[in-house]
Amino acid sequence: MAECMRTTLNPPKTPLHSNKISAPKLSFSSSFSSFGTKPNSSNSNNYPRISLSVMSNKNQNQNQNQNHHHHQQHLSLDAVISSNRKAELLGDIKGSLSNRLSETNLHLTVPGLKSKTRGKVRDIYDGGDYLVLVTTDRQSAFDRILASIPFKGQVLNETSLWWFDQTRHITPNAVISSPDKNVTIAKKCSVIPVEFVVRGFVTGSTDTSLWTVYNKGIRNYCGNALPDGLVKNQKLPANILTPTTKAEDHDVPVTPDEIVKLGLMTEAEFDEASRKALRLFEYGQRVASEHGLILVDTKYEFGKSSDDSILLIDEVHTPDSSRYWIAHSYEERFQSGLEPENVDKEFLRLWFKDHCNPYEDEVLPDAPEELICELAWR
């Protein structure tokens, strides 16, 4: 692992609190194989140019923050780029293009790991009473692997660990410890085969996105009655839950009644998980708002532990599982009919939709190197 992740990017300012459960002793020093295939750099200037703004960091001292609130300012992307920060990070990113973590085989080198399951982004290893989850740099969308993004796995894993720790007051989770920037050791759970997708806005570009189905005239989606007259990127009257089943090839929207009738969950289990999902989303929106962002939509996954308690699993509020917009420019851009400024993977989805049919084409084009570096920077 050390060879694969040589540089730490954007270390969290708030330290992660370690779980007090003792972790299995495992060594991850050199067990990972790196990914060395460089993407095709043709058409590198054909992806959508994204205008991006960020807010300056809030002063960590609450009193100073209140006293100097009027000094807070919005930073444009140009201001960020004109500093040395983006150039510094892009240097690290480009230097890691040949050393991305796209595949691991720990079961071949780490004693005690019995088997490997390969998800879209995570490699999951059976360690008996626990699981070892390795968050790779694989990038998925349209239920397919599109690319491998430098440092993505580290960002997703550390972001999730922070949120898991911050949301213990809402729901327990499966995390035991994290022995590496890309690795989480978790309690073994039986995964509930439902993804709890929570939405606060009508938006999106995929076939199952709320805007796509709404624009087709659908007004009852996953058990939610939607009013007429909504336009793309508009805030919903209230947050809604639009669950999907975790199908083999692609996720399928489903109603709460169908979940119970199919035997995927009992009514009591669904009620508990849906309450937790909505509370998690409300909390995530509040934290995002405090940092100049809008948490637009996200997904949660749950599992049942050996004592049948429902635990939060997988990832939480990452830029891979969630859509984030820049708060201060949202209203003006919405009123002008412009797409919100964003820091998620939507622009990657749009590039693939412009260059192929990502749902039906057997072979997809290689994402240009410039696009990959831009996504890593975001």
Side-chain angles (χ1 to χ4, degrees):
M1 175 59 70
E3 291 87 358
C4 295
M5 307 302 294
R6 292 176 306 214
T7 308
T8 299
L9 299 186
N10 292 325
K13 291 183 173 64
T14 304
L16 300 174
H17 302 294
S18 60
N19 197 312
K20 293 183 179 179
I21 302 174
S22 59
K25 300 297 184 182
L26 296 174
S27 172
F28 296 92
S29 58
S30 58
S31 303
F32 291 82
S33 58
S34 61
F35 175 76
T37 304
K38 289 196 174 185
N40 188 339
S41 60
S42 61
N43 300 324
S44 61
N45 294 320
N46 292 335
Y47 68 87
R49 296 289 179 179
I50 304 296
S51 173
L52 174 66
S53 300
V54 297
M55 288 187 69
S56 56
N57 289 333
K58 288 191 175 183
N59 195 310
Q60 292 183 357
N61 183 295
Q62 188 173 4
N63 293 329
Q64 289 180 352
N65 187 33
Q66 292 173 347
N67 294 336
H68 299 284
H69 179 72
H70 62 282
H71 290 306
Q72 290 180 8
Q73 54 185 312
H74 303 307
L75 298 180
S76 68
L77 180 59
D78 288 341
V80 176
I81 294 174
S82 64
S83 70
N84 294 328
R85 184 58 173 158
K86 183 171 186 179
E88 175 190 341
L89 293 182
L90 283 177
D92 289 327
I93 290 165
K94 291 177 180 178
S96 298
L97 285 171
S98 62
N99 204 25
R100 287 165 283 178
L101 187 65
S102 72
E103 197 70 40
T104 67
N105 288 291
L106 291 186
H107 59 304
L108 303 179
T109 57
V110 177
L113 298 186
K114 301 176 181 179
S115 63
K116 170 186 174 181
T117 302
R118 188 180 191 270
K120 294 188 187 79
V121 174
R122 286 168 184 80
D123 291 342
I124 305 169
Y125 297 91
D126 186 345
D129 294 332
Y130 58 89
L131 297 175
V132 175
L133 300 95
V134 183
T135 308
T136 72
D137 294 334
R138 296 193 295 264
Q139 178 68 64
S140 71
F142 308 105
D143 295 307
R144 302 179 69 170
I145 305 300
L146 302 183
S148 192
I149 310 299
F151 301 103
K152 175 189 177 246
Q154 175 186 333
V155 171
L156 262 60
N157 193 55
E158 294 190 315
T159 299
S160 289
L161 288 169
W162 189 88
W163 280 107
F164 276 127
D165 187 67
Q166 297 296 310
T167 56
R168 293 180 188 278
H169 64 290
I170 298 174
T171 177
N173 59 66
V175 174
I176 296 175
S177 67
S178 178
D180 183 277
K181 295 180 185 300
N182 288 66
V183 179
T184 293
I185 297 177
K187 300 174 186 176
K188 185 177 285 187
C189 300
S190 58
V191 178
I192 295 173
V194 175
E195 289 192 351
F196 286 75
V197 182
V198 187
R199 307 176 188 272
F201 292 75
V202 53
T203 190
S205 61
T206 66
D207 284 356
T208 57
S209 73
L210 188 56
W211 171 246
T212 300
V213 299
Y214 186 87
N215 199 35
K216 290 178 180 178
I218 295 173
R219 294 295 179 268
N220 194 305
Y221 189 56
C222 298
N224 299 285
L226 303 172
D228 289 326
L230 297 177
V231 298
K232 188 179 183 185
N233 302 326
Q234 184 173 350
K235 183 174 175 57
L236 290 164
N239 295 331
I240 63 172
L241 180 66
T242 60
T244 66
T245 60
K246 293 172 63 67
E248 183 70 24
D249 296 325
H250 56 86
D251 299 333
V252 180
V254 64
T255 67
D257 287 343
E258 289 170 336
I259 290 172
V260 175
K261 288 179 181 178
L262 290 169
L264 303 177
M265 304 178 73
T266 67
E267 185 173 354
E269 289 170 344
F270 178 81
D271 288 345
E272 179 183 348
S274 60
R275 283 196 304 270
K276 289 180 175 180
L278 289 166
R279 284 187 62 199
L280 286 165
F281 190 67
E282 290 167 2
Y283 179 76
Q285 285 184 312
R286 186 163 68 249
V287 175
S289 177
E290 291 169 357
H291 293 81
L293 297 171
I294 297 172
L295 177 59
V296 180
D297 50 44
T298 194
K299 72 174 181 69
Y300 304 104
E301 296 192 43
F302 297 94
K304 293 177 67 177
S305 65
S306 57
D307 63 358
D308 280 343
S309 59
I310 294 179
L311 305 179
L312 183 63
I313 63 173
D314 197 50
E315 60 184 306
V316 189
H317 298 162
T318 72
D320 205 40
S321 65
S322 313
R323 198 186 313 267
Y324 284 100
W325 292 340
I326 305 300
H328 75 82
S329 62
Y330 162 74
E331 188 62 35
E332 181 180 350
R333 294 181 69 86
F334 174 71
Q335 295 297 336
S336 302
L338 301 174
E339 286 296 308
E341 297 178 301
N342 67 82
V343 286
D344 51 55
K345 62 183 179 182
E346 180 68 8
F347 79 104
L348 182 73
R349 294 191 189 100
L350 295 175
W351 186 91
F352 274 91
K353 289 196 75 173
D354 287 343
H355 290 80
C356 64
N357 184 333
Y359 289 106
E360 298 180 5
D361 291 352
E362 185 174 343
V363 178
L364 299 182
D366 289 331
E369 187 173 293
E370 187 179 354
L371 187 74
I372 287 174
C373 290
E374 175 71 14
L375 186 56
W377 150 248
R378 284 162 180 264

